[in-house]
CSV table of all heavy atoms in Angstrom, one decimal:
chain,number,residue,atom,x,y,z
A,122,TYR,N,-182.0,132.5,-39.3
A,122,TYR,CA,-180.6,132.7,-38.8
A,122,TYR,C,-180.2,134.2,-39.0
A,122,TYR,O,-180.4,134.5,-40.2
A,122,TYR,CB,-179.7,131.6,-39.3
A,122,TYR,CG,-180.1,130.2,-39.2
A,122,TYR,CD1,-180.3,129.4,-40.3
A,122,TYR,CD2,-180.4,129.7,-37.9
A,122,TYR,CE1,-180.7,128.1,-40.2
A,122,TYR,CE2,-180.7,128.3,-37.8
A,122,TYR,CZ,-180.9,127.6,-39.0
A,122,TYR,OH,-181.2,126.3,-38.8
A,124,PHE,N,-177.3,137.4,-38.8
A,124,PHE,CA,-175.9,137.6,-38.5
A,124,PHE,C,-175.5,139.2,-38.7
A,124,PHE,O,-176.3,139.9,-39.2
A,124,PHE,CB,-175.1,137.0,-39.7
A,124,PHE,CG,-175.3,135.6,-39.9
A,124,PHE,CD1,-176.5,135.2,-40.6
A,124,PHE,CD2,-174.4,134.5,-39.5
A,124,PHE,CE1,-176.9,133.8,-40.7
A,124,PHE,CE2,-174.8,133.2,-39.6
A,124,PHE,CZ,-175.9,132.8,-40.2
A,126,TYR,N,-172.0,141.3,-39.7
A,126,TYR,CA,-170.7,141.3,-40.2
A,126,TYR,C,-170.2,142.7,-40.2
A,126,TYR,O,-171.0,143.8,-40.4
A,126,TYR,CB,-170.7,140.8,-41.6
A,126,TYR,CG,-170.9,139.3,-41.7
A,126,TYR,CD1,-172.2,138.8,-41.9
A,126,TYR,CD2,-169.9,138.4,-41.8
A,126,TYR,CE1,-172.4,137.5,-41.9
A,126,TYR,CE2,-170.1,137.0,-41.9
A,126,TYR,CZ,-171.3,136.5,-41.9
A,126,TYR,OH,-171.5,135.1,-41.9
A,128,GLN,N,-167.1,145.1,-42.1
A,128,GLN,CA,-166.2,145.3,-43.2
A,128,GLN,C,-165.3,146.5,-43.1
A,128,GLN,O,-165.7,147.6,-43.0
A,128,GLN,CB,-166.9,145.3,-44.5
A,128,GLN,CG,-166.0,145.3,-45.8
A,128,GLN,CD,-166.7,145.4,-47.1
A,128,GLN,OE1,-167.7,146.1,-47.1
A,128,GLN,NE2,-166.4,144.7,-48.1
A,131,ASN,N,-161.8,148.0,-48.3
A,131,ASN,CA,-161.2,147.1,-49.3
A,131,ASN,C,-160.8,145.7,-48.7
A,131,ASN,O,-159.8,145.1,-49.0
A,131,ASN,CB,-159.8,147.7,-49.7
A,131,ASN,CG,-160.1,149.1,-50.4
A,131,ASN,OD1,-161.1,149.2,-51.3
A,131,ASN,ND2,-159.4,150.1,-50.1
A,132,GLN,N,-161.7,145.2,-47.9
A,132,GLN,CA,-161.5,143.9,-47.2
A,132,GLN,C,-162.7,143.1,-47.4
A,132,GLN,O,-163.8,143.7,-47.6
A,132,GLN,CB,-161.0,144.0,-45.8
A,132,GLN,CG,-159.7,144.6,-45.6
A,132,GLN,CD,-159.3,144.5,-44.1
A,132,GLN,OE1,-159.7,143.7,-43.4
A,132,GLN,NE2,-158.3,145.4,-43.7
A,133,GLY,N,-162.7,141.8,-47.1
A,133,GLY,CA,-163.8,141.0,-47.0
A,133,GLY,C,-164.5,141.4,-45.7
A,133,GLY,O,-164.2,142.1,-45.0
A,134,LEU,N,-165.5,140.4,-45.3
A,134,LEU,CA,-166.4,140.7,-44.3
A,134,LEU,C,-166.0,139.8,-43.1
A,134,LEU,O,-165.6,138.6,-43.4
A,134,LEU,CB,-167.8,140.5,-44.6
A,134,LEU,CG,-168.5,141.7,-45.3
A,134,LEU,CD1,-168.2,141.8,-46.6
A,134,LEU,CD2,-170.1,141.4,-45.2
A,136,LEU,N,-167.2,138.0,-39.4
A,136,LEU,CA,-168.5,137.9,-38.5
A,136,LEU,C,-168.3,138.5,-37.1
A,136,LEU,O,-167.2,138.3,-36.4
A,136,LEU,CB,-168.7,136.3,-38.3
A,136,LEU,CG,-169.9,136.1,-37.5
A,136,LEU,CD1,-171.3,136.4,-38.3
A,136,LEU,CD2,-169.9,134.6,-37.2
A,139,LYS,N,-173.8,136.0,-34.4
A,139,LYS,CA,-174.8,135.4,-35.1
A,139,LYS,C,-175.9,134.8,-34.1
A,139,LYS,O,-175.7,134.5,-33.0
A,139,LYS,CB,-174.4,134.2,-35.9
A,139,LYS,CG,-173.9,133.0,-35.3
A,139,LYS,CD,-173.6,131.9,-36.2
A,139,LYS,CE,-173.3,130.5,-35.6
A,139,LYS,NZ,-173.1,129.6,-36.5
A,141,THR,N,-178.9,131.8,-34.0
A,141,THR,CA,-179.5,130.7,-34.6
A,141,THR,C,-180.7,130.3,-33.7
A,141,THR,O,-181.7,130.5,-34.2
A,141,THR,CB,-178.4,129.4,-34.8
A,141,THR,OG1,-177.9,129.2,-33.5
A,141,THR,CG2,-177.4,129.9,-35.8
A,178,GLU,N,-167.9,149.5,-42.0
A,178,GLU,CA,-169.3,149.3,-42.5
A,178,GLU,C,-169.8,148.1,-41.9
A,178,GLU,O,-169.1,147.0,-41.8
A,178,GLU,CB,-169.3,149.3,-44.1
A,178,GLU,CG,-170.8,149.4,-44.6
A,178,GLU,CD,-170.8,149.7,-46.0
A,178,GLU,OE1,-169.8,149.7,-46.7
A,178,GLU,OE2,-171.8,150.2,-46.5
A,180,PHE,N,-172.9,145.0,-41.8
A,180,PHE,CA,-174.0,144.4,-42.6
A,180,PHE,C,-174.7,143.4,-41.7
A,180,PHE,O,-174.1,142.6,-41.1
A,180,PHE,CB,-173.3,143.7,-43.7
A,180,PHE,CG,-172.8,144.6,-44.8
A,180,PHE,CD1,-171.4,145.0,-44.8
A,180,PHE,CD2,-173.5,145.1,-45.8
A,180,PHE,CE1,-170.8,145.7,-45.7
A,180,PHE,CE2,-173.1,145.9,-46.8
A,180,PHE,CZ,-171.7,146.3,-46.8
A,184,SER,N,-180.4,134.3,-43.0
A,184,SER,CA,-180.4,133.1,-43.7
A,184,SER,C,-181.8,132.3,-43.0
A,184,SER,O,-182.4,133.0,-42.2
A,184,SER,CB,-179.3,132.2,-43.6
A,184,SER,OG,-179.4,130.9,-44.3
A,185,GLY,N,-181.9,131.0,-43.3
A,185,GLY,CA,-183.1,130.4,-42.6
A,185,GLY,C,-183.1,129.0,-42.6
A,185,GLY,O,-182.5,128.3,-43.4
A,186,VAL,N,-183.9,128.3,-41.9
A,186,VAL,CA,-184.1,126.9,-41.8
A,186,VAL,C,-184.6,126.5,-43.2
A,186,VAL,O,-185.5,127.0,-43.8
A,186,VAL,CB,-185.2,126.6,-40.8
A,186,VAL,CG1,-185.5,125.0,-40.9
A,186,VAL,CG2,-184.7,127.0,-39.5
A,187,GLY,N,-183.8,125.5,-43.7
A,187,GLY,CA,-184.2,125.0,-45.1
A,187,GLY,C,-183.6,125.6,-46.3
A,187,GLY,O,-183.9,125.3,-47.4
A,188,THR,N,-182.7,126.5,-46.0
A,188,THR,CA,-182.1,127.3,-47.1
A,188,THR,C,-180.7,127.5,-46.8
A,188,THR,O,-180.2,127.6,-45.6
A,188,THR,CB,-182.7,128.7,-47.4
A,188,THR,OG1,-182.0,129.3,-48.4
A,188,THR,CG2,-182.7,129.6,-46.1
A,189,TYR,N,-179.8,127.5,-48.0
A,189,TYR,CA,-178.5,127.9,-47.8
A,189,TYR,C,-178.1,129.3,-48.3
A,189,TYR,O,-177.0,129.7,-48.5
A,189,TYR,CB,-177.6,126.9,-48.7
A,189,TYR,CG,-177.6,125.5,-48.0
A,189,TYR,CD1,-178.2,124.4,-48.7
A,189,TYR,CD2,-177.0,125.2,-46.9
A,189,TYR,CE1,-178.2,123.2,-48.1
A,189,TYR,CE2,-177.0,124.0,-46.3
A,189,TYR,CZ,-177.5,123.0,-46.8
A,189,TYR,OH,-177.6,121.7,-46.5
A,190,LYS,N,-179.2,130.1,-48.7
A,190,LYS,CA,-178.9,131.4,-49.1
A,190,LYS,C,-178.8,132.4,-47.9
A,190,LYS,O,-179.3,132.2,-46.9
A,190,LYS,CB,-180.1,131.9,-49.9
A,190,LYS,CG,-180.4,131.1,-51.2
A,190,LYS,CD,-181.7,131.5,-51.8
A,190,LYS,CE,-182.1,133.0,-52.0
A,190,LYS,NZ,-183.3,133.2,-52.8
A,191,TYR,N,-177.8,133.4,-48.2
A,191,TYR,CA,-177.6,134.5,-47.1
A,191,TYR,C,-177.9,135.7,-47.8
A,191,TYR,O,-177.2,136.1,-48.8
A,191,TYR,CB,-176.2,134.3,-46.7
A,191,TYR,CG,-175.8,133.1,-45.9
A,191,TYR,CD1,-175.6,131.9,-46.5
A,191,TYR,CD2,-175.6,133.2,-44.5
A,191,TYR,CE1,-175.3,130.7,-45.8
A,191,TYR,CE2,-175.3,132.1,-43.8
A,191,TYR,CZ,-175.2,130.9,-44.4
A,191,TYR,OH,-174.8,129.7,-43.7
A,192,ILE,N,-178.9,136.6,-47.3
A,192,ILE,CA,-179.3,137.8,-47.9
A,192,ILE,C,-178.8,138.8,-46.9
A,192,ILE,O,-179.1,138.8,-45.8
A,192,ILE,CB,-180.8,137.8,-48.0
A,192,ILE,CG1,-181.3,136.7,-48.8
A,192,ILE,CG2,-181.3,139.2,-48.7
A,192,ILE,CD1,-180.7,136.6,-50.4
A,193,PHE,N,-178.1,139.8,-47.6
A,193,PHE,CA,-177.5,140.9,-46.8
A,193,PHE,C,-178.3,142.2,-46.9
A,193,PHE,O,-179.0,142.4,-48.0
A,193,PHE,CB,-176.1,141.2,-47.2
A,193,PHE,CG,-175.2,140.2,-46.7
A,193,PHE,CD1,-175.0,138.9,-47.4
A,193,PHE,CD2,-174.3,140.5,-45.7
A,193,PHE,CE1,-174.2,138.0,-46.7
A,193,PHE,CE2,-173.4,139.6,-45.2
A,193,PHE,CZ,-173.3,138.3,-45.7
A,194,GLY,N,-178.3,143.0,-46.0
A,194,GLY,CA,-178.8,144.4,-46.0
A,194,GLY,C,-177.8,145.3,-46.9
A,194,GLY,O,-176.8,144.9,-47.3
A,195,THR,N,-178.2,146.6,-46.9
A,195,THR,CA,-177.4,147.5,-47.8
A,195,THR,C,-176.2,148.1,-47.1
A,195,THR,O,-175.5,148.8,-47.5
A,195,THR,CB,-178.3,148.7,-48.3
A,195,THR,OG1,-179.1,149.2,-47.3
A,195,THR,CG2,-179.3,148.1,-49.3
A,196,GLY,N,-176.2,147.8,-45.7
A,196,GLY,CA,-175.1,148.2,-44.9
A,196,GLY,C,-175.2,149.6,-44.2
A,196,GLY,O,-175.9,150.4,-44.8
B,158,ASN,N,-170.2,124.9,-49.1
B,158,ASN,CA,-171.0,125.7,-50.0
B,158,ASN,C,-170.2,126.9,-50.4
B,158,ASN,O,-169.4,127.4,-49.6
B,158,ASN,CB,-172.3,126.2,-49.1
B,158,ASN,CG,-173.2,125.0,-48.9
B,158,ASN,OD1,-173.2,123.9,-49.4
B,158,ASN,ND2,-173.9,125.2,-47.8
B,160,TYR,N,-170.1,130.7,-52.6
B,160,TYR,CA,-171.0,131.9,-52.7
B,160,TYR,C,-170.2,132.9,-53.7
B,160,TYR,O,-169.0,133.2,-53.5
B,160,TYR,CB,-171.5,132.5,-51.6
B,160,TYR,CG,-172.3,131.6,-50.8
B,160,TYR,CD1,-171.8,130.6,-49.9
B,160,TYR,CD2,-173.6,131.6,-50.7
B,160,TYR,CE1,-172.5,129.8,-49.1
B,160,TYR,CE2,-174.5,130.8,-50.0
B,160,TYR,CZ,-173.9,129.9,-49.1
B,160,TYR,OH,-174.4,129.0,-48.4
B,162,TYR,N,-170.7,137.1,-54.4
B,162,TYR,CA,-171.5,138.3,-54.0
B,162,TYR,C,-170.9,139.4,-54.8
B,162,TYR,O,-169.6,139.4,-55.0
B,162,TYR,CB,-171.5,138.6,-52.6
B,162,TYR,CG,-172.4,137.9,-51.7
B,162,TYR,CD1,-171.8,136.7,-51.1
B,162,TYR,CD2,-173.6,138.1,-51.4
B,162,TYR,CE1,-172.6,135.9,-50.2
B,162,TYR,CE2,-174.4,137.4,-50.6
B,162,TYR,CZ,-174.0,136.3,-50.1
B,162,TYR,OH,-174.7,135.6,-49.2
B,164,GLN,N,-170.7,143.6,-54.6
B,164,GLN,CA,-170.9,144.8,-53.7
B,164,GLN,C,-170.8,146.2,-54.5
B,164,GLN,O,-169.6,146.4,-55.0
B,164,GLN,CB,-169.9,144.9,-52.5
B,164,GLN,CG,-170.2,146.0,-51.5
B,164,GLN,CD,-169.3,145.9,-50.3
B,164,GLN,OE1,-168.3,145.1,-50.3
B,164,GLN,NE2,-169.6,146.5,-49.3
B,167,GLY,N,-173.7,151.7,-52.0
B,167,GLY,CA,-175.1,151.9,-51.7
B,167,GLY,C,-176.1,151.0,-51.9
B,167,GLY,O,-177.2,151.1,-51.6
B,168,ARG,N,-175.5,149.7,-52.4
B,168,ARG,CA,-176.5,148.7,-52.6
B,168,ARG,C,-176.1,147.4,-51.8
B,168,ARG,O,-176.8,146.4,-52.0
B,168,ARG,CB,-176.4,148.3,-54.1
B,168,ARG,CG,-176.8,149.6,-55.0
B,168,ARG,CD,-176.8,149.1,-56.5
B,168,ARG,NE,-177.7,148.0,-56.6
B,168,ARG,CZ,-177.9,147.3,-58.0
B,168,ARG,NH1,-177.1,147.8,-59.0
B,168,ARG,NH2,-178.7,146.4,-58.1
B,169,GLY,N,-175.2,147.5,-50.9
B,169,GLY,CA,-175.0,146.3,-50.1
B,169,GLY,C,-174.3,145.0,-50.8
B,169,GLY,O,-173.8,145.3,-51.9
B,170,LEU,N,-174.5,143.9,-50.3
B,170,LEU,CA,-174.0,142.8,-51.0
B,170,LEU,C,-175.1,142.1,-51.7
B,170,LEU,O,-176.1,141.7,-51.0
B,170,LEU,CB,-173.5,141.8,-50.0
B,170,LEU,CG,-171.9,142.0,-49.6
B,170,LEU,CD1,-171.7,143.3,-48.8
B,170,LEU,CD2,-171.4,140.8,-48.8
B,172,LEU,N,-176.3,138.9,-53.6
B,172,LEU,CA,-176.0,137.5,-53.9
B,172,LEU,C,-176.2,137.3,-55.4
B,172,LEU,O,-177.3,137.3,-55.9
B,172,LEU,CB,-176.9,136.6,-53.1
B,172,LEU,CG,-176.7,135.0,-53.4
B,172,LEU,CD1,-175.3,134.7,-53.0
B,172,LEU,CD2,-177.7,134.2,-52.5
B,175,TYR,N,-174.8,130.7,-55.9
B,175,TYR,CA,-174.2,129.9,-54.8
B,175,TYR,C,-174.2,128.5,-55.4
B,175,TYR,O,-174.9,128.1,-56.2
B,175,TYR,CB,-175.0,130.1,-53.4
B,175,TYR,CG,-176.4,129.6,-53.4
B,175,TYR,CD1,-176.8,128.4,-52.9
B,175,TYR,CD2,-177.4,130.4,-53.9
B,175,TYR,CE1,-178.0,128.0,-52.8
B,175,TYR,CE2,-178.8,130.1,-53.8
B,175,TYR,CZ,-179.1,128.7,-53.2
B,175,TYR,OH,-180.4,128.5,-53.2
B,177,VAL,N,-174.0,124.2,-53.8
B,177,VAL,CA,-173.9,123.3,-52.7
B,177,VAL,C,-173.2,122.1,-53.1
B,177,VAL,O,-173.1,121.2,-52.3
B,177,VAL,CB,-175.2,123.0,-52.2
B,177,VAL,CG1,-175.9,124.3,-51.6
B,177,VAL,CG2,-176.2,122.3,-53.2
B,185,GLU,N,-179.2,133.7,-58.7
B,185,GLU,CA,-180.1,134.6,-58.0
B,185,GLU,C,-180.5,135.8,-58.9
B,185,GLU,O,-181.6,136.4,-58.6
B,185,GLU,CB,-179.4,135.1,-56.6
B,185,GLU,CG,-179.3,134.0,-55.7
B,185,GLU,CD,-180.6,133.4,-55.2
B,185,GLU,OE1,-181.6,134.1,-54.9
B,185,GLU,OE2,-180.8,132.2,-55.5
B,214,PHE,N,-167.3,145.3,-56.6
B,214,PHE,CA,-166.3,144.7,-55.7
B,214,PHE,C,-166.8,143.3,-55.6
B,214,PHE,O,-168.1,143.0,-54.9
B,214,PHE,CB,-166.2,145.5,-54.3
B,214,PHE,CG,-165.1,144.9,-53.4
B,214,PHE,CD1,-163.9,144.7,-53.9
B,214,PHE,CD2,-165.4,144.6,-52.1
B,214,PHE,CE1,-162.8,144.3,-53.1
B,214,PHE,CE2,-164.5,144.1,-51.3
B,214,PHE,CZ,-163.2,143.9,-51.6
B,216,LEU,N,-166.9,139.5,-54.1
B,216,LEU,CA,-166.6,138.7,-53.0
B,216,LEU,C,-166.8,137.2,-53.0
B,216,LEU,O,-168.1,137.0,-53.4
B,216,LEU,CB,-167.2,139.2,-51.7
B,216,LEU,CG,-166.6,140.6,-51.3
B,216,LEU,CD1,-167.6,141.3,-50.3
B,216,LEU,CD2,-165.2,140.4,-50.6
B,220,THR,N,-169.2,128.4,-46.8
B,220,THR,CA,-169.5,127.9,-45.4
B,220,THR,C,-169.5,126.4,-45.4
B,220,THR,O,-169.5,125.7,-46.4
B,220,THR,CB,-171.1,128.2,-45.1
B,220,THR,OG1,-171.9,127.4,-45.9
B,220,THR,CG2,-171.4,129.8,-45.3
B,222,GLN,N,-171.2,122.7,-44.8
B,222,GLN,CA,-172.4,122.1,-45.3
B,222,GLN,C,-173.4,121.9,-44.2
B,222,GLN,O,-173.8,120.8,-43.8
B,222,GLN,CB,-172.1,120.8,-46.0
B,222,GLN,CG,-171.8,120.9,-47.4
B,222,GLN,CD,-173.0,121.1,-48.4
B,222,GLN,OE1,-174.2,121.1,-47.9
B,222,GLN,NE2,-172.7,121.2,-49.6
B,223,ALA,N,-173.9,123.0,-43.6
B,223,ALA,CA,-174.9,122.9,-42.6
B,223,ALA,C,-175.6,124.3,-42.6
B,223,ALA,O,-175.1,125.4,-43.0
B,223,ALA,CB,-174.3,122.8,-41.3
B,224,GLN,N,-176.8,124.4,-42.3
B,224,GLN,CA,-177.6,125.5,-42.3
B,224,GLN,C,-177.3,126.5,-41.0
B,224,GLN,O,-176.8,126.0,-39.9
B,224,GLN,CB,-179.0,125.4,-42.3
B,224,GLN,CG,-179.6,124.7,-43.6
B,224,GLN,CD,-180.9,124.0,-43.4
B,224,GLN,OE1,-181.7,124.3,-42.5
B,224,GLN,NE2,-181.3,123.3,-44.4
B,225,GLY,N,-177.2,127.9,-41.2
B,225,GLY,CA,-177.0,128.8,-40.3
B,225,GLY,C,-175.5,128.9,-39.9
B,225,GLY,O,-175.2,129.5,-38.8
B,226,GLU,N,-174.6,128.4,-40.7
B,226,GLU,CA,-173.2,128.5,-40.5
B,226,GLU,C,-172.7,129.9,-40.9
B,226,GLU,O,-173.3,130.5,-41.7
B,226,GLU,CB,-172.5,127.4,-41.2
B,226,GLU,CG,-172.6,125.9,-40.7
B,226,GLU,CD,-172.0,125.7,-39.6
B,226,GLU,OE1,-170.8,126.3,-39.3
B,226,GLU,OE2,-172.3,125.1,-38.6
B,227,LYS,N,-171.6,130.3,-40.4
B,227,LYS,CA,-171.0,131.6,-40.7
B,227,LYS,C,-170.4,131.5,-42.0
B,227,LYS,O,-169.9,130.4,-42.5
B,227,LYS,CB,-170.0,132.1,-39.6
B,227,LYS,CG,-168.7,131.2,-39.6
B,227,LYS,CD,-167.8,131.7,-38.6
B,227,LYS,CE,-166.9,132.9,-39.1
B,227,LYS,NZ,-165.8,133.3,-38.2
B,228,LEU,N,-170.5,132.6,-42.8
B,228,LEU,CA,-169.8,132.7,-44.1
B,228,LEU,C,-168.3,133.2,-43.9
B,228,LEU,O,-168.1,134.1,-43.0
B,228,LEU,CB,-170.5,133.8,-44.9
B,228,LEU,CG,-171.8,133.5,-45.6
B,228,LEU,CD1,-172.5,134.7,-46.1
B,228,LEU,CD2,-171.5,132.5,-46.8
B,230,PHE,N,-165.2,135.0,-45.9
B,230,PHE,CA,-165.2,135.7,-47.1
B,230,PHE,C,-163.8,135.9,-47.5
B,230,PHE,O,-162.9,135.9,-46.7
B,230,PHE,CB,-165.7,137.1,-46.9
B,230,PHE,CG,-167.2,137.3,-46.9
B,230,PHE,CD1,-167.9,137.1,-45.8
B,230,PHE,CD2,-167.8,137.5,-48.1
B,230,PHE,CE1,-169.3,137.2,-45.8
B,230,PHE,CE2,-169.2,137.6,-48.1
B,230,PHE,CZ,-170.0,137.4,-46.9
B,231,GLY,N,-163.6,136.0,-48.8
B,231,GLY,CA,-162.3,136.1,-49.4
B,231,GLY,C,-162.0,137.7,-49.2
B,231,GLY,O,-162.9,138.4,-48.8
B,232,SER,N,-160.9,138.2,-49.8
B,232,SER,CA,-160.5,139.5,-49.7
B,232,SER,C,-161.1,140.3,-50.9
B,232,SER,O,-160.9,141.6,-50.8
B,232,SER,CB,-158.9,139.6,-49.7
B,232,SER,OG,-158.4,138.9,-50.7
B,235,GLN,N,-161.6,144.0,-56.9
B,235,GLN,CA,-162.3,145.3,-57.4
B,235,GLN,C,-162.1,145.3,-59.0
B,235,GLN,O,-161.1,145.3,-59.4
B,235,GLN,CB,-161.5,146.5,-56.8
B,235,GLN,CG,-162.1,147.7,-57.1
B,235,GLN,CD,-163.4,147.9,-56.6
B,235,GLN,OE1,-163.6,147.9,-55.4
B,235,GLN,NE2,-164.5,148.4,-57.4
Side-chain angles (χ1 to χ4, degrees):
Chain A
Y122 301 124
F124 307 81
Y126 286 85
Q128 184 183 34
N131 299 315
Q132 294 185 24
L134 280 72
L136 181 71
K139 72 172 184 177
T141 52
E178 189 156 21
F180 292 92
S184 185
V186 174
T188 178
Y189 291 111
K190 292 169 54 175
Y191 293 75
I192 304 301
F193 283 76
T195 51
Chain B
N158 292 338
Y160 301 80
Y162 285 88
Q164 185 175 14
R168 297 183 62 184
L170 271 72
L172 178 60
Y175 69 99
V177 299
E185 289 300 300
F214 191 53
L216 288 159
T220 70
Q222 276 277 1
Q224 294 167 9
E226 289 288 323
K227 65 178 279 189
L228 283 162
F230 283 88
S232 53
Q235 183 65 54

